[in-house]
Amino acid sequence: MASDVTHTDKQTNILFHKVPYDYFDSRGLFSVWSMSLMCQEVRGPLYKVLLPDVREEMQRRGSTVFVKTQEITVYPPAYRKVTPQTPLTGTASLLHIGKTSYGVMQELRLHRSGEIVCRTATLMVQTDRTTRRPRQFSEDRIKSAQAKVYGVKTNFMGPIMDIPPPSSYVHRIVVAHSDIDRNRHVNQSNYVRFCLDCAACGAMDQAYTTLRKDISLYPVRTISILYMREAVARDQLEIISWEDQLKPYILYFIVRKDKEDICHAIITFNIDNPRL
């Protein structure tokens, strides 16, 4: 997936010349977890180009950044117009920076028309590589980064407070070594895939009242996801899913490891116009 990187004072831009064939699902639609991967790639140059002082401080202190939560919105062109030969433009900008975290907005657009494909707001937390605990940015780094802020601060989801009903669908998996990223834990895009795989199995098993066919027939509209704890290779995960009582096109997910919640997610599907 060849790409070209450019930037302005407050935004980085990536041109993806084409989309990999394996980024499409069994029906040939651009998959949401693949969009999440591309948004992650869009985010990368932001640290090097727009936040060099923050990046230098983190490297010197032995820190990294973990994704805490994401808000993903998918637009119709993602399913109607994106093919493996479609060039896309990705942009990333800084939404805000606080004592231990900062928000980043990533967008994917059709390169030729500028139509939006996907928008992802991501909250990143500076984390000590050894203790895995949050670490504060220095005041001067925060001040320098604030000059790069571009856009409106996003409201991110909190924990799901509802208790899963007895009728909830349960899907179990074992984390593969290929699910692990450079931070030595499951990459955040894989949790999107885990939840969608759970929904796919639940739909085939008729666990939901509305989503009762191949899940790829129902395009994803939005995903809100909160990452709470880490999972590593060979961990056994339990994914619990249930539908909203009033809006059955909304599914809730709780991912558990050793009976502890490690990820919460809410996915909204398009049931009015399957496959758009």
Side-chain angles (χ1 to χ4, degrees), residues 110-128:
L110 298 178
H111 178 62
R112 294 188 176 92
S113 69
E115 292 175 89
I116 190 162
V117 170
C118 175
R119 177 177 286 127
T120 301
T122 304
L123 183 66
M124 313 288 297
V125 178
Q126 182 185 193
T127 306
D128 186 286

Side-chain angles (χ1 to χ4, degrees), residues 30-241:
F30 194 14
S31 69
V32 180
W33 76 268
S34 297
M35 297 181 212
S36 178
L37 276 177
M38 292 187 76
C39 284
Q40 178 177 299
E41 186 166 349
V42 169
R43 227 171 33 239
L46 183 78
Y47 315 126
K48 298 178 181 179
V49 176
L50 297 187
L51 302 174
D53 293 342
V54 172
R55 181 169 178 262
E56 182 276 329
E57 180 180 76
M58 289 173 53
Q59 290 178 333
R60 175 167 44 81
R61 299 168 68 185
S63 298
T64 184
V65 286
F66 286 178
V67 174
K68 179 62 177 177
T69 181
Q70 291 183 298
E71 300 289 337
I72 303 171
T73 304
V74 184
Y75 297 87
Y79 304 112
R80 292 174 176 167
K81 299 184 178 182
V82 177
T83 72
Q85 301 303 316
T86 303
L88 299 177
T89 299
T91 62
S93 56
L94 185 67
L95 291 173
H96 73 275
I97 184 166
K99 291 183 178 181
T100 63
S101 64
Y102 57 90
V104 179
M105 178 63 74
Q106 306 108 83
E107 292 185 347
L108 294 175
R109 293 179 179 269
L110 298 178
H111 178 62
R112 294 188 176 92
S113 69
E115 292 175 89
I116 190 162
V117 170
C118 175
R119 177 177 286 127
T120 301
T122 304
L123 183 66
M124 313 288 297
V125 178
Q126 182 185 193
T127 306
D128 186 286
R129 288 185 182 275
T130 302
T131 66
R132 319 301 267 188
R133 302 291 298 173
R135 171 177 276 174
Q136 290 191 3
F137 296 108
S138 62
E139 289 296 329
D140 58 331
R141 295 299 187 269
I142 293 175
K143 185 175 181 180
S144 65
Q146 284 174 339
K148 304 291 186 178
V149 170
Y150 179 77
V152 179
K153 187 174 180 179
T154 299
N155 293 320
F156 292 96
M157 77 169 285
I160 295 173
M161 303 307 294
D162 294 343
I163 298 175
S167 59
S168 296
Y169 185 75
V170 180
H171 179 66
R172 295 178 175 87
I173 64 169
V174 176
V175 176
H177 287 274
S178 57
D179 295 325
I180 307 305
D181 63 17
R182 62 185 298 175
N183 283 324
R184 307 193 308 276
H185 62 199
V186 174
N187 183 270
Q188 86 275 349
S189 65
N190 286 323
Y191 285 99
V192 174
R193 179 168 57 85
F194 295 164
C195 291
L196 288 172
D197 284 347
C198 172
C201 292
M204 295 299 290
D205 289 343
Q206 300 188 359
Y208 315 118
T209 60
T210 301
L211 304 173
R212 300 177 69 86
K213 301 178 181 179
D214 183 343
I215 202 67
S216 65
L217 288 171
Y218 305 101
V220 171
R221 288 177 172 173
T222 63
I223 300 178
S224 298
I225 190 161
L226 174 67
Y227 309 97
M228 306 166 75
R229 293 176 179 83
E230 298 178 86
V232 299
R234 301 180 67 183
D235 277 345
Q236 297 182 33
L237 304 183
E238 183 178 74
I239 305 169
I240 304 166
S241 173

